[in-house]
Every structure is written in C-alpha cells, then in structure tokens.
Amino acid sequence: MRRLAKYREKRDFGVTPEPGVTGNARAVRGHAPALRYVIQLHHARRRHFDFRLEWQGTLRSWAVPKGPSRDPTQKRLAVEVEDHPLSYGTFEGDIPEGQYGAGHVDLWDEGRWRPDGDAEAGLKKGHLNFTLDGARLKGRWSLVRTHLAGRQPQWLLIKSADDAARAADVADGTTLHQWRARHGESEPKSRVARAKKKTVAAKKPATRRRRDAFPREVGLQLARLVDTAPGGDGWVHEIKYDGYRFIALRQNRRVKLVSRNGIDWSDKLPALRDAILALPCRECIVDGELVVYDAAGHSSFDLLQQRFGDADGGDIRAIVFDLLYLDGRDLRGETQDARKAALETLLDNAPAPLQLSETIVGDGREAAAAACRLGLEGIVSKARGAPYRAGRGGDWLKIKCVQSDEFVIVGYTHGARARAALGSLLLAQASARGKRWRYVGRVGSGLSAAAIDDLLRRLKPAKTAVPLERPPTAGDLRGARPIWVKPTLVVEVSFRAWTSDGILRQASVKGLRPDKSPDDLAAPDRAPHVAAATSAAPRKSAKVARNAHRRAARTTPAATRRARSEPYSFTHPDRLIFTDPDITKAEVGALYRDIADQILPQIVGRPLALVRCPDGVGGECFFQKHLTSGFRDAVHAARAKAERDPYVYIDDLDGLLALVQMNVVEIHTWGSTVARPDTPDRIVFDLDPAPDVPWREIKAAARAVRERLAALKLESFLRASGGKGLHVVVPLSGDDDWDAVKAFAHALAQTMAQEQPDHYLAVAGKSRREGRIFIDYLRNARGATSVANYSLRARAGAPVAVPLAWDELTGLRSAAPFHFGNLRKRIARHPDPWRGIDDVEQALPR
C-alpha cells in the first residue's frame, strides 16, 4: 500500500519486532462506522505518546509529546508522522538500538472513534472533529492543523468541553495494563489468551540465557515534580538529595564515571573509581548522586561544589539508588524491586564512598512529612513494579519540602505598574549577635492587592534605617530604594530553603500574624549557613570601589549563584523550542542550569533584550526590551532616566530559568550594568559579513581590529557569534559615557573602512555590502545590545554564541561551531576562555 511506503522504508523487519505491512483492512470512505483508535506510550529518545486513528486501511498517526489532555484549555502539539499498518495497534515491546524509534512501546489507551462528518474532507482541510469511546479517553475531540514551520505537519489535539472533560488533566506514564488493574477492569479476552500462552511457554524447561550486550550509552530516568506523594504499597520512597547525578560504568578493570550531561568525571573522582573496581562483579552500571553532608547531616550543594575535584575526593559520598546492568544482564527491563534487591547484594560491605540509598515502603505522604520535619529536600517516590525507562515519566515522582517561618517586616521597596506602591517586603529575624535583627531577604510573591493596601495602612515609616546585622546591599535590592519601617509587624512566609549566606530562597507570603509580636520571635536556629560579621574596611577611592563592584558582580561564587535555584518547575516543559534538532523547553533549562557558572557572570545585573519564540524557533519570534506581565518574580524591572518603560534584568539562576519559562531563546545584554547604566564597561565590534565574503577574510578582520586596539593599548577578547560573524569585545573600567564610547567605536570602524574600502565599510546599508564586512559599531549606544556569551541563537541547529581565546581563531571553521549538542563538551575542555577579563583596567585613550 502506497501510504505505508515510508513505514516500510524506515524499518528493518529482520531486526525490529514491529509488525510488517500485512493484513490491512478494507478502505472505508465518507461517513464511516465506529473505527479503532489506539494510543501508545513510546519511550524513545524522548518520551511521547503516539495517537493513531484507523482510516482508509491504515493507522493515521501523530506523535503527541505531552500526551492527550482531557482539559479543554490545554492544546497539545501533535506532529503528523507516517501511517502505520493496522496490526501495529496491538504492538508492545522493545524496538532495538539502531532502529528507527528505538525504545520501549506500551499500550496507553484503545477503543473506538467516530468522525463527525466526512473524515477525509476534515483531514484534507486540516480540521477533524471526532468522538472517542475508549478505556481512558471519551467524548468529543478535535485535530486542528497549524501553520507552524517544521519538517512534518504540526497539529493541535484539543478536548471539547463536554461531560468527559477534566480540568488540569495530565497524561501520566501509567500503561493501559496498569491503569486497568488499578481501576478493577479486566483485559480483553484476546489479550488474556495471549498472556496465558506466554505463561505456558514460560513453564517449558529453561535454556541458557543469552548474554545482554553492555550498553554504550544510558539514558537517565528522571523524576516528575508533583505536589503530593503517592500512597499505597505500590511505591517506595527515597530521600531527595541536593547533589550531582552520576552514572558509573564498569567493564572488567575499566571504569567510567559520567555526569548527567555526559561529561567524563573519571579523573576527578579517583576514590569512587577505586570503590567501583572493588565491587564483586565483572561488569556493572550503577546510577546515583554525589553529595556532601553538612554538620546537620543534610546534603549541601555548596559544600559539594567546594569539594568537587579535590585530589582525594574529600568527603564526597556516592549515594547509589539503581542498578542497570550486572555481569551480562541488562536489568533496565526488570522491576524497581528486582533492581533494588540486586543492588543491595552488590553493595553489601561496599567500600567508601559508596553508600546504598535507603528506601521506605508505604504511605508516601507520611514519608514526605517525615523528610520535611528533618529539614531534608524532600523525597523521590518510585513505582515498585516499573522498569527503568529513560526520560521523565510517571514512575518516578519527586516531592519537595516547603518550609515556613515567621519574620518581622523592617522595610519595603516600590514595584512597577500595579505594584508600584509596594513591590517587595524586606524581612528580618532575631539575631544571635549584637544587633537585634538580621536581614534575611525580600519577598513579593503571595501579595494580593488587598494585602498590599492593608500593609500600607499598617506599616509605620521609620526616621532612620533599622539597625541590621548584614543590611541589604544595592545588589540585594536590585537598585531599588528601601523604605524603612518600624519593626512592629510579623509575617509568615513559606520558602524552599536558605542560601549559603542566610537568605531565603523562593519565598512567598502566607499572611500577616496579628497574633504575634516581634518579641515572640526567638533567635533563629534553622538557617544552616549564617555569614560571619566582618570588620569595617578602610574607605576606598571611588574608582577602586567601582571596579571592585564590577568584578564582584561578574564573579559571584558559583555556589552562591547556583544555590539560589531549586530544580525548576516549567509549565509546558515538553514544548519544542527547536525542531532542528528537537529540543524542549525543559532541555533548554537543563542546559542553562548545567552551564550556570559560565553564562550567569555575563548576564546577571545587566539590562537585557530578549528574543522570544512562543511557538518555537521557526514560528513567530519577537524582540523584547522592556518588562511586561507574565514573567515570574525572579525577572526584575528597573528604570533609568532616559527610559520611559522599565528594562529587564535578572540576578541569579532562577531569573535565567524564568526567562526560559517565557520561551526566551536569545539573550542580549547592554554594555553596562544596572547599577551604572550610563557608564558602559564594554565595547563590541560586530563583524557582519556579506554572504559572499570568504571565512578567512572574516578571521583576518578580527585580527585587524585586535591589532588596531592593541596599538591604542586596549586589550580585546573574541566571541563566535553563533551567526555569521565574529565579535571583538573590549572591557572598560573608566568613566566614559555612551557618547564617548560610540564615537570611539565609530572612528575606529571608519578609519579601517577608509584605509581598506574593498574589505570594510562603516555604513549599515546592505546595498553597499557586497564582498565586504560591515564593522558594526552601533552596538555601543545606550540601549543597544549584543548577544550574550553562551546564549542560544534562534536559528536552525540551535547554535550558541561562545567566547574564544585568540589562539583558537586560526583553527576556527565558522562563526557557529558550537551548538546545543556539543556546548557541554566545549565548556569541559575550555571552561574560561576569557579568563582575566574582569581584572583588565583600561579606559578610552585621550
């Protein structure tokens, strides 16, 4: 059959157990009787749901990344794929590695469907209405074709508002067999017969088991964040650790330790490598988490970062919670209980730093409550009967603890728009040292308009600032002016954790506590890391102070920056941001979290301009410079004298992930900081070539700009833009304003264009650019921006703007050699090519 040609071409039926193209039913035209539909849960390179409708003798098929939702407000992306034979509707099993769609396939739902009207006309038109009557899905649905660009037609699967609709519905990873068992439903007789046949076959004398191949790559199983732990005896619960995920692969005497993002850590963890070699096995693959415990016995991300890479591994512990392969036996298809039993045997009397993760069987809510009482991060609940499957399914669930405490209000700051009167409250707790109060952070989430009005009536202005231990800095307040009040009101606040310097993380107001006074607040004992008081330092000159502030803003310790962000909860995490290759919002967030040490120093505390692509790259994208509604609290607004609308800035990883949440693909920065918006500290020369300029001439232009700058005693740095050209960046530490910087950049560009008019030009018009390179100096005006280091670009292939060392220029083959797929390896090899840029002291020549 012609419609099954693609299905046939993509598969080797001598290898894959998928059904061949045989036994297809008669074609049905026009108004059809009830036909069969099936939904299969496919754990391939990325987990998705395959939605298939029987029509015209085949199964018309769509890949639905997030699965169908019975919530009419949720429009699920459905990517049309090749037709499948009708026999595929009963297929379950494993598609081998190396085959198209390699991974595990389960039935998720099945039943009958009936088109509303002429189905053939609806499919051609791109709007098919139909009714489902299945085990899990019922009622009226629609498939609507979109105009989004992509390799395959993209549709939306939408539930109609009828009696079968369910609000806030999410497609979980429960297979149809598991779902029927939980709901007391019996399997169809044909499937029961097949199961009996398998049971009889299993009773035959066992033959020697075939050895499973050692996996060369392992896809990690991930946990989905939920609010409530599951109950019942079908789950086991483990402590949630705050550390680094790792996989250890041993083949005879060879051991490889790999990070979650594929970085080889074998040389960094010699103690762990030796411990894996000491295990009683020839081959094994174990999954676990690297942690360091603090004095209270809690896993500490800060301490782990400090200890990681020490010659002897320090006090790093390797908490092992899964066994994926053991001596020729691939355990990933076996149940959680079976894998855990084998792991316990393997790790019996295991040497340090290996440690078996302890589990609790029973009510997850009790386990979560106990973890929270102990001050732990939370728990991970795992389905006991489930296999190990790569990706974020419904068999592993994580439940995070939310802490709550009471604090006194010592001040507030103004906000923007509707929150102009009160943006954030400034909080303090009782101090154990000389001053009565210690600043613990600010909170703006959870404040309704009525609560703000009530607070403004109750807060009593103070003539002077409240004496605080560790008062907030201008950076803490993001440039906002504090309004101090008398410490008379107590507020209850929920929060995720404390940072290493004793600041609340992810705080939200629960409400005022009129039943308590500030005198009721005892000295704190729950903040795990309280910074020691420092003696007053000698007064510095204005210039030295500015430069110190500039360096500090860009070299915030990684532990402090990263500690401000818990694992982030995205809405629509499976939304495709790139389709060439397929990259989801959650994967973009994971990349930025992994490279936080590199990207944050370049964007924190700077005004930003954003390229947002709500429908993904290839759809409509737009440039945004000012803050609008919809962004989470970690994205901030600041105003400058010359700006009517507030510009955007962030100050930590939470802010960066909040940008990803809003489908930001590209991040561009001003050449100045929020603290000093009118004093640029960067000059950027963007070498923008015409399409016909050879790559060697672009590299020669970068060298020429560098030589000109060096003659003026200005040091410069190089960046591959991720687009067509290169950037030459000059750090500044003086007091030059925007006019002076732009004039200097224009003069240098104009001089080079006049001396070599056949190679360069200093005019932006494209009509004159043929065969030449535009030395774009216009990036150096107030409000102008250039792409940030390590920002993705909204282009096919997901390229990234990457800083380079000058000695890399000779071997550079393009302006976009790095992309989403190889960026982590690049950083592992060259973590800081711009080393020393923040120590450069230079100003424009006079």
Side-chain angles (χ1 to χ4, degrees):
M1 176 179 272
R2 182 177 58 83
R3 291 195 63 90
L4 293 174
K6 285 187 178 180
Y7 174 85
R8 187 186 298 108
E9 290 170 3
K10 291 181 175 183
R11 291 161 177 84
D12 181 352
F13 296 107
V15 178
T16 181
E18 296 167 282
V21 184
T22 58
N24 286 300
R26 61 183 175 84
V28 182
R29 300 184 181 277
H31 296 265
L35 300 165
R36 186 163 182 257
Y37 85 89
V38 64
I39 301 175
Q40 287 157 317
L41 178 58
H42 192 172
H43 294 275
R45 181 170 62 90
R46 183 175 297 109
R47 191 192 85 155
H48 64 274
F49 295 75
D50 291 313
F51 180 68
R52 310 191 195 281
L53 299 176
E54 178 187 352
W55 185 249
Q56 298 288 10
T58 68
L59 291 175
R60 301 290 177 93
S61 299
W62 292 261
V64 185
K66 297 185 67 174
S69 174
R70 294 175 295 175
D71 186 346
T73 67
Q74 299 296 314
K75 299 177 176 63
R76 298 299 200 202
L77 175 68
V79 180
E80 186 176 350
V81 297
E82 75 277 8
D83 286 19
H84 285 51
L86 297 180
S87 53
Y88 207 96
T90 58
F91 173 69
E92 293 183 287
D94 293 291
I95 303 172
E97 291 292 332
Q99 292 295 298
Y100 176 75
H104 185 78
V105 177
D106 280 312
L107 283 178
W108 191 84
D109 192 24
E110 63 181 359
R112 297 288 178 179
W113 78 283
R114 183 184 297 275
D116 297 350
D118 190 334
E120 191 67 22
L123 287 167
K124 289 180 179 179
K125 183 181 177 182
H127 194 139
L128 176 65
N129 296 319
F130 53 94
T131 299
L132 297 181
D133 183 14
R136 302 175 80 155
L137 302 185
K138 298 182 184 298
R140 297 187 71 249
W141 295 73
S142 297
L143 273 167
V144 181
R145 189 165 54 228
T146 74
H147 299 290
L148 300 178
R151 290 172 296 177
Q152 297 156 298
Q154 299 186 23
W155 300 61
L156 296 175
L157 178 62
I158 309 167
K159 179 72 184 77
S160 299
D162 56 19
D163 291 341
R166 298 290 184 271
D169 179 64
V170 177
D172 61 25
T174 307
T175 68
L176 181 57
H177 313 309
Q178 294 169 334
W179 186 88
R180 280 185 163 133
R182 291 178 186 178
H183 290 76
E185 296 189 8
S186 60
E187 294 283 348
K189 290 183 179 180
S190 60
R191 188 167 293 125
V192 173
R194 287 198 302 271
K196 287 182 178 179
K197 186 176 180 181
K198 289 181 180 178
T199 302
V200 171
K203 292 180 179 179
K204 293 181 180 179
T207 57
R208 186 174 181 181
R209 186 181 60 82
R210 181 179 178 182
R211 177 182 176 84
D212 297 325
F214 189 88
R216 296 299 173 187
E217 293 184 355
V218 175
L220 292 182
Q221 181 157 351
L222 305 175
R224 181 159 56 87
L225 180 64
V226 296
D227 294 329
T228 306
D233 294 335
W235 297 82
V236 295
H237 314 283
E238 301 173 355
I239 293 172
K240 183 182 181 299
Y241 296 98
D242 193 8
Y244 290 155
R245 186 82 174 269
F246 78 95
I247 288 281
L249 303 95
R250 172 183 171 181
Q251 280 187 285
N252 296 316
R253 303 303 296 172
R254 297 194 304 275
V255 173
K256 186 175 183 180
L257 306 175
V258 185
S259 73
R260 172 174 172 168
N261 52 5
I263 298 174
D264 191 337
W265 281 344
S266 305
D267 294 335
K268 291 180 177 289
L269 300 164
L272 176 56
R273 183 183 59 213
D274 293 344
I276 296 293
L277 282 172
L279 293 176
C281 65
R282 296 184 307 278
E283 298 174 320
C284 66
I285 301 177
V286 298
D287 188 359
E289 189 102 354
L290 300 176
V291 304
V292 172
Y293 295 114
D294 61 17
H298 302 154
S299 58
S300 168
F301 195 87
D302 290 358
L303 292 176
L304 176 61
Q305 288 195 313
Q306 296 169 24
R307 305 288 196 275
F308 192 75
D310 287 353
D312 59 354
D315 46 6
I316 294 177
R317 294 290 177 265
I319 311 299
V320 181
F321 46 72
D322 222 320
L323 178 62
L324 313 186
Y325 187 92
L326 181 64
D327 291 337
R329 182 177 164 201
D330 193 332
L331 302 177
R332 288 175 292 179
E334 300 194 14
T335 66
Q336 172 75 35
D337 280 355
R339 300 196 311 275
K340 182 68 75 174
L343 179 62
E344 290 176 358
T345 301
L346 180 65
L347 293 188
D348 189 30
N349 297 319
L354 289 171
Q355 179 179 328
L356 179 67
S357 176
E358 297 183 0
T359 59
I360 302 171
V361 177
D363 193 312
R365 285 159 292 200
E366 293 181 4
C372 295
R373 284 195 301 270
L374 293 171
L376 303 176
E377 281 250 326
I379 64 170
V380 178
S381 301
K382 300 179 179 180
R384 297 176 63 184
Y388 188 100
R389 292 172 180 160
R392 200 180 304 278
D395 294 330
W396 287 15
L397 307 174
K398 58 185 176 184
I399 301 90
K400 294 164 60 176
C401 294
V402 177
Q403 303 179 52
S404 178
D405 209 340
E406 293 146 3
F407 304 94
V408 67
I409 301 172
V410 295
Y412 65 93
T413 62
H414 292 307
R417 291 189 170 88
R419 295 284 297 274
L422 193 158
S424 297
L425 297 174
L426 308 183
L427 306 179
Q429 66 179 184
S431 171
R433 299 193 176 93
K435 292 185 171 64
R436 185 180 180 191
W437 300 111
R438 180 182 182 279
Y439 177 72
V440 296
R442 62 192 186 92
V443 59
S445 297
L447 288 172
S448 64
I452 291 173
D453 291 341
D454 183 47
L455 281 166
L456 291 173
R457 285 194 301 268
R458 291 170 176 264
L459 293 171
K460 300 176 181 178
K463 293 182 180 180
T464 59
V466 177
L468 294 173
E469 177 190 323
R470 194 211 172 275
T473 64
D476 292 332
L477 301 181
R478 288 115 185 195
R481 183 177 66 84
I483 295 91
W484 301 107
V485 301
K486 295 177 181 179
T488 58
L489 295 183
V490 174
V491 64
E492 185 170 356
V493 172
S494 62
F495 57 96
R496 286 292 186 190
W498 295 88
T499 67
S500 59
D501 51 352
I503 299 297
L504 296 173
R505 192 194 307 175
Q506 296 185 21
S508 178
V509 173
K510 294 180 69 175
L512 282 175
R513 292 298 303 265
D515 57 325
K516 295 200 173 184
S517 72
D519 293 334
D520 295 325
L521 303 188
D525 60 2
R526 286 183 291 275
H529 303 288
V530 177
T534 56
S535 58
R539 185 177 181 86
K540 300 178 181 179
S541 70
K543 180 177 179 180
V544 171
R546 277 196 307 273
N547 293 337
H549 180 272
R550 175 170 61 92
R551 284 191 294 272
R554 296 181 201 138
T555 57
T556 307
T560 300
R561 291 196 311 270
R562 198 181 292 244
R564 294 181 184 273
S565 181
E566 293 289 299
Y568 202 81
S569 175
F570 292 107
T571 60
H572 309 296
D574 296 325
R575 173 172 290 165
L576 286 175
I577 301 300
F578 291 88
T579 56
D580 182 17
D582 288 352
I583 301 170
T584 66
K585 180 191 293 187
E587 289 173 320
V588 172
L591 173 70
Y592 283 150
R593 186 178 181 91
D594 290 343
I595 67 168
D597 293 348
Q598 282 72 36
I599 189 172
L600 288 179
Q602 309 302 318
I603 61 178
V604 161
R606 289 185 178 275
L608 305 177
L610 314 169
V611 175
R612 293 175 60 189
C613 301
D615 296 321
V617 174
E620 182 180 355
C621 298
F622 60 91
F623 204 70
Q624 178 171 347
K625 296 182 67 174
H626 303 292
L627 191 63
T628 55
S629 61
F631 285 86
R632 294 182 176 177
D633 289 344
V635 180
H636 311 298
R639 294 179 184 273
K641 294 178 182 178
E643 296 289 324
R644 185 170 62 182
D645 296 317
Y647 49 70
V648 183
Y649 74 97
I650 62 173
D651 59 9
D652 55 21
L653 180 55
D654 282 342
L656 175 56
L657 297 180
L659 298 182
V660 177
Q661 162 63 23
M662 293 297 284
N663 307 303
V664 170
V665 178
E666 294 189 9
I667 303 171
H668 298 246
T669 66
W670 284 30
S672 63
T673 63
V674 170
R676 305 187 74 208
D678 295 312
T679 306
D681 62 356
R682 289 279 194 273
I683 303 176
V684 177
F685 294 95
D686 180 0
L687 306 180
D688 186 3
D692 57 341
V693 175
W695 174 240
R696 65 178 181 275
E697 292 188 15
I698 303 170
K699 295 198 291 186
R703 293 190 183 95
V705 172
R706 185 192 188 195
E707 291 168 1
R708 294 275 179 169
L709 293 167
L712 298 170
K713 301 190 182 325
L714 292 174
E715 187 174 353
S716 59
F717 295 77
L718 181 66
R719 174 165 60 215
S721 68
K724 299 177 296 180
L726 298 170
H727 293 174
V728 179
V729 181
V730 184
L732 296 176
S733 57
D735 294 317
D736 299 291
D737 60 18
W738 285 109
D739 289 340
V741 166
K742 183 178 179 181
F744 171 82
H746 187 196
L748 187 144
Q750 203 168 37
T751 300
M752 293 182 66
Q754 289 171 351
E755 293 180 357
Q756 293 183 283
D758 292 339
H759 289 84
Y760 310 122
L761 74 162
V763 180
K766 295 199 179 275
S767 59
R768 299 171 52 188
R769 199 175 301 183
E770 183 177 351
R772 293 184 288 179
I773 298 169
F774 170 41
I775 303 176
D776 186 353
Y777 64 91
L778 300 172
R779 308 281 178 183
N780 305 292
R782 193 182 191 287
T785 60
S786 61
V787 69
N789 287 355
Y790 301 108
S791 167
L792 287 161
R793 305 304 304 268
R795 300 167 183 257
V800 181
V802 173
L804 305 168
W806 277 107
D807 60 10
E808 295 182 273
L809 182 59
T810 299
L812 196 66
R813 297 185 178 181
S814 76
F818 305 107
H819 50 78
F820 181 92
N822 66 9
L823 182 61
R824 292 179 174 95
K825 291 183 180 179
R826 156 70 186 182
I827 290 175
R829 292 193 300 267
H830 301 284
D832 192 7
W834 281 12
R835 183 186 300 275
I837 189 171
D838 294 315
D839 297 321
V840 174
E841 299 290 342
Q842 59 188 17
L844 293 180
R846 302 300 176 188

PDB file of all heavy atoms in Angstrom, residues 595-606:
ATOM      1  N   ILE A 595      25.369  24.967  32.793  1.00  0.00           N
ATOM      2  CA  ILE A 595      26.450  25.901  32.449  1.00  0.00           C
ATOM      3  C   ILE A 595      26.285  27.230  33.196  1.00  0.00           C
ATOM      4  O   ILE A 595      26.783  28.256  32.744  1.00  0.00           O
ATOM      5  CB  ILE A 595      26.515  26.139  30.929  1.00  0.00           C
ATOM      6  CG1 ILE A 595      25.265  26.884  30.423  1.00  0.00           C
ATOM      7  CG2 ILE A 595      26.698  24.839  30.178  1.00  0.00           C
ATOM      8  CD1 ILE A 595      25.402  27.411  29.001  1.00  0.00           C
ATOM      9  N   ALA A 596      25.604  27.189  34.336  1.00  0.00           N
ATOM     10  CA  ALA A 596      25.346  28.425  35.083  1.00  0.00           C
ATOM     11  C   ALA A 596      26.629  29.163  35.421  1.00  0.00           C
ATOM     12  O   ALA A 596      26.679  30.396  35.398  1.00  0.00           O
ATOM     13  CB  ALA A 596      24.556  28.110  36.359  1.00  0.00           C
ATOM     14  N   ASP A 597      27.696  28.428  35.747  1.00  0.00           N
ATOM     15  CA  ASP A 597      28.956  29.081  36.109  1.00  0.00           C
ATOM     16  C   ASP A 597      29.510  29.918  34.959  1.00  0.00           C
ATOM     17  O   ASP A 597      30.242  30.879  35.191  1.00  0.00           O
ATOM     18  CB  ASP A 597      29.999  28.025  36.502  1.00  0.00           C
ATOM     19  CG  ASP A 597      29.635  27.315  37.786  1.00  0.00           C
ATOM     20  OD1 ASP A 597      28.709  27.780  38.480  1.00  0.00           O
ATOM     21  OD2 ASP A 597      30.264  26.287  38.090  1.00  0.00           O
ATOM     22  N   GLN A 598      29.189  29.548  33.733  1.00  0.00           N
ATOM     23  CA  GLN A 598      29.706  30.277  32.575  1.00  0.00           C
ATOM     24  C   GLN A 598      28.771  31.405  32.132  1.00  0.00           C
ATOM     25  O   GLN A 598      29.224  32.511  31.853  1.00  0.00           O
ATOM     26  CB  GLN A 598      29.926  29.302  31.404  1.00  0.00           C
ATOM     27  CG  GLN A 598      31.180  28.452  31.514  1.00  0.00           C
ATOM     28  CD  GLN A 598      31.070  27.393  32.583  1.00  0.00           C
ATOM     29  OE1 GLN A 598      30.010  26.822  32.793  1.00  0.00           O
ATOM     30  NE2 GLN A 598      32.174  27.117  33.268  1.00  0.00           N
ATOM     31  N   ILE A 599      27.474  31.136  32.064  1.00  0.00           N
ATOM     32  CA  ILE A 599      26.575  32.128  31.465  1.00  0.00           C
ATOM     33  C   ILE A 599      26.180  33.232  32.427  1.00  0.00           C
ATOM     34  O   ILE A 599      26.034  34.387  32.031  1.00  0.00           O
ATOM     35  CB  ILE A 599      25.323  31.436  30.879  1.00  0.00           C
ATOM     36  CG1 ILE A 599      24.505  32.439  30.058  1.00  0.00           C
ATOM     37  CG2 ILE A 599      24.486  30.772  31.937  1.00  0.00           C
ATOM     38  CD1 ILE A 599      23.370  31.812  29.280  1.00  0.00           C
ATOM     39  N   LEU A 600      26.015  32.916  33.715  1.00  0.00           N
ATOM     40  CA  LEU A 600      25.493  33.932  34.639  1.00  0.00           C
ATOM     41  C   LEU A 600      26.398  35.154  34.789  1.00  0.00           C
ATOM     42  O   LEU A 600      25.897  36.281  34.841  1.00  0.00           O
ATOM     43  CB  LEU A 600      25.212  33.305  36.006  1.00  0.00           C
ATOM     44  CG  LEU A 600      23.988  32.383  36.063  1.00  0.00           C
ATOM     45  CD1 LEU A 600      23.832  31.801  37.462  1.00  0.00           C
ATOM     46  CD2 LEU A 600      22.723  33.117  35.665  1.00  0.00           C
ATOM     47  N   PRO A 601      27.734  35.000  34.896  1.00  0.00           N
ATOM     48  CA  PRO A 601      28.558  36.207  35.048  1.00  0.00           C
ATOM     49  C   PRO A 601      28.412  37.202  33.897  1.00  0.00           C
ATOM     50  O   PRO A 601      28.691  38.385  34.064  1.00  0.00           O
ATOM     51  CB  PRO A 601      29.986  35.646  35.116  1.00  0.00           C
ATOM     52  CG  PRO A 601      29.823  34.254  35.606  1.00  0.00           C
ATOM     53  CD  PRO A 601      28.542  33.771  34.994  1.00  0.00           C
ATOM     54  N   GLN A 602      27.951  36.740  32.737  1.00  0.00           N
ATOM     55  CA  GLN A 602      27.838  37.621  31.577  1.00  0.00           C
ATOM     56  C   GLN A 602      26.502  38.358  31.522  1.00  0.00           C
ATOM     57  O   GLN A 602      26.375  39.344  30.793  1.00  0.00           O
ATOM     58  CB  GLN A 602      28.005  36.803  30.293  1.00  0.00           C
ATOM     59  CG  GLN A 602      29.230  35.912  30.271  1.00  0.00           C
ATOM     60  CD  GLN A 602      30.514  36.688  30.462  1.00  0.00           C
ATOM     61  OE1 GLN A 602      30.677  37.767  29.895  1.00  0.00           O
ATOM     62  NE2 GLN A 602      31.423  36.164  31.255  1.00  0.00           N
ATOM     63  N   ILE A 603      25.490  37.890  32.261  1.00  0.00           N
ATOM     64  CA  ILE A 603      24.158  38.487  32.123  1.00  0.00           C
ATOM     65  C   ILE A 603      23.575  39.016  33.420  1.00  0.00           C
ATOM     66  O   ILE A 603      22.689  39.862  33.393  1.00  0.00           O
ATOM     67  CB  ILE A 603      23.171  37.476  31.495  1.00  0.00           C
ATOM     68  CG1 ILE A 603      23.031  36.236  32.363  1.00  0.00           C
ATOM     69  CG2 ILE A 603      23.588  37.113  30.093  1.00  0.00           C
ATOM     70  CD1 ILE A 603      22.029  35.229  31.825  1.00  0.00           C
ATOM     71  N   VAL A 604      24.052  38.520  34.573  1.00  0.00           N
ATOM     72  CA  VAL A 604      23.491  38.968  35.854  1.00  0.00           C
ATOM     73  C   VAL A 604      23.779  40.450  36.066  1.00  0.00           C
ATOM     74  O   VAL A 604      24.891  40.930  35.834  1.00  0.00           O
ATOM     75  CB  VAL A 604      24.086  38.132  37.008  1.00  0.00           C
ATOM     76  CG1 VAL A 604      23.914  38.834  38.345  1.00  0.00           C
ATOM     77  CG2 VAL A 604      23.424  36.774  37.054  1.00  0.00           C
ATOM     78  N   GLY A 605      22.765  41.183  36.487  1.00  0.00           N
ATOM     79  CA  GLY A 605      22.951  42.598  36.797  1.00  0.00           C
ATOM     80  C   GLY A 605      23.109  43.494  35.600  1.00  0.00           C
ATOM     81  O   GLY A 605      23.550  44.644  35.748  1.00  0.00           O
ATOM     82  N   ARG A 606      22.737  43.028  34.408  1.00  0.00           N
ATOM     83  CA  ARG A 606      22.821  43.856  33.199  1.00  0.00           C
ATOM     84  C   ARG A 606      21.423  44.006  32.592  1.00  0.00           C
ATOM     85  O   ARG A 606      20.639  43.056  32.589  1.00  0.00           O
ATOM     86  CB  ARG A 606      23.736  43.222  32.139  1.00  0.00           C
ATOM     87  CG  ARG A 606      25.204  43.260  32.480  1.00  0.00           C
ATOM     88  CD  ARG A 606      26.044  42.717  31.336  1.00  0.00           C
ATOM     89  NE  ARG A 606      27.448  42.805  31.671  1.00  0.00           N
ATOM     90  CZ  ARG A 606      28.204  43.885  31.481  1.00  0.00           C
ATOM     91  NH1 ARG A 606      27.660  44.959  30.927  1.00  0.00           N
ATOM     92  NH2 ARG A 606      29.465  43.888  31.824  1.00  0.00           N
TER      93      ARG A 606
END
